[in-house]
């Protein structure tokens, strides 16, 4: 018995999925389709997608902002969790990666809830702010280029309503955050972001060791 988070062996992880995951068929198929893409490591883990869907239902969220669509796997989990009049503004720059998403969003009947903006996310966030979007989102998922995490977070916080939640992906960055020899710009950016979050009293935080590390920040 230990009071620290359990180590997950491959076998224990398989068990976790076996008894803990209820992944709808279309999500499973989208995951399989994504696993054939070269950047499949960028797809959200299924238990993480399910967890964010649960958070969205728990909060009664209606408006979601996603920074980093990729193949739309996390988007689909969240869209299925939203009520009929819910919506997702999702940001990406890659037509190629988001191409596969559309078919699955449509087949799941949630495509009308999803608004994909294909341009640099900072531009989309600034447009949302300029168009009166301040405090208009309930939930934000940040999962894009790590160098811009701090900038995404600041804009997201402005776009989020008080009591809203920001989820930030990859904050343990495959463990490289504690590798003193790793000075890649992405690693340095995540380290700096994590240190800043630790001291940011505009939000309550929780860093969950789910998938590659997921930091939750609740706006005061
Ligand atoms: Ca990610």
């Amino acid at each position: 018995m230990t009071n620290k988070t359990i180590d997950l062996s491959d076998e224990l992880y398989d068990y976790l999925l076996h008894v803990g995951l209820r992944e709808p068929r279309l999500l499973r198929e989208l995951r399989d389709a994504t696993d054939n893409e070269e950047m499949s490591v960028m797809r959200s883990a299924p238990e993480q997608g399910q967890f964010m869907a649960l958070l969205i239902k728990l909060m009664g969220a209606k408006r979601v902002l996603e920074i980093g669509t990729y193949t739309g796997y996390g988007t689909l989990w969240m869209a299925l969790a939203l009520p009929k009049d819910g919506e997702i503004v999702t940001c990406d720059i890659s037509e190629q990666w988001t191409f596969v998403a559309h078919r699955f969003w449509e087949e799941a009947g949630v495509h009308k809830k999803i608004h994909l903006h294909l341009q640099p996310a900072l531009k989309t966030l600034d447009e949302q702010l300029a168009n009166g979007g301040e405090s208009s989102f309930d939930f934000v998922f940040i999962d894009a280029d790590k160098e811009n995490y701090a900038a995404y977070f600041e804009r997201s916080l402005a776009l989020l309503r008080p009591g809203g939640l920001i989820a930030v992906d990859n904050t343990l960055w495959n463990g490289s955050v504690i590798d003193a020899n790793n000075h890649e710009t992405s690693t340095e950016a995540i380290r700096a972001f994590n240190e800043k979050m630790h001291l940011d009293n505009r939000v309550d935080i929780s860093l969950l060791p789910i998938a590659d590390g997921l930091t939750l920040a609740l706006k005061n």
Side-chain angles (χ1 to χ4, degrees):
M1 198 64 190
T2 162
N3 58 8
K4 114 181 204 313
T5 302
I6 195 168
D7 282 329
L8 279 182
S9 63
D10 288 349
E11 292 75 13
L12 192 53
Y13 178 64
D14 287 345
Y15 176 80
L16 179 156
L17 294 183
H18 176 63
V19 297
L21 181 68
R22 300 177 186 171
E23 187 180 38
R25 177 184 58 86
L26 275 170
L27 277 159
R28 174 73 226 200
E29 287 175 16
L30 176 51
R31 187 149 64 94
D32 288 344
T34 304
D35 285 345
N36 296 324
E37 302 277 324
E38 55 186 303
M39 300 291 281
S40 63
V41 68
M42 285 168 57
R43 178 202 24 87
S44 303
E47 70 280 16
Q48 181 180 331
Q50 180 177 269
F51 176 63
M52 294 200 302
L54 184 145
L55 289 177
I56 281 168
K57 284 190 179 177
L58 178 70
M59 298 175 70
K62 280 197 169 175
R63 297 199 76 222
V64 170
L65 173 64
E66 181 182 49
I67 304 168
T69 316
Y70 188 43
T71 57
Y73 178 77
T75 325
L76 184 51
W77 267 111
M78 295 191 285
L80 289 168
L82 282 170
K84 269 199 174 64
D85 60 345
E87 67 166 334
I88 302 182
V89 171
T90 186
C91 311
D92 210 289
I93 50 170
S94 171
E95 208 159 331
Q96 184 202 338
W97 291 339
T98 52
F99 179 76
V100 65
H102 292 286
R103 178 164 61 90
F104 287 93
W105 294 344
E106 205 160 317
E107 207 179 320
V110 295
H111 56 290
K112 286 191 178 130
K113 295 181 190 171
I114 301 170
H115 308 287
L116 171 63
H117 295 250
L118 273 179
Q119 61 179 12
L122 289 176
K123 187 161 187 267
T124 300
L125 302 184
D126 285 338
E127 285 171 6
Q128 293 287 326
L129 283 166
N131 295 333
E134 202 166 313
S135 299
S136 70
F137 287 91
D138 304 296
F139 184 87
V140 182
F141 180 46
I142 300 177
D143 185 18
D145 51 309
K146 312 312 168 198
E147 291 79 359
N148 274 317
Y149 263 26
Y152 293 147
F153 185 81
E154 283 309 312
R155 285 162 178 80
S156 296
L157 198 59
L159 288 165
L160 194 70
R161 67 164 166 87
L165 192 71
I166 304 180
V168 187
D169 199 29
N170 301 107
T171 49
L172 294 178
W173 209 218
N174 200 27
S176 58
V177 282
I178 56 163
D179 177 358
N181 295 317
N182 189 320
H183 298 292
E184 286 174 26
T185 51
S186 54
T187 307
E188 297 281 16
I190 288 185
R191 276 192 200 115
F193 177 78
N194 287 340
E195 296 287 345
K196 194 161 169 278
M197 291 298 294
H198 191 208
L199 300 174
D200 192 334
N201 57 19
R202 297 171 297 174
V203 289
D204 291 342
I205 60 164
S206 187
L207 202 178
L208 303 179
I210 183 173
D212 194 26
L214 183 71
T215 297
L216 301 182
L218 177 72
K219 181 176 177 177
N220 293 327

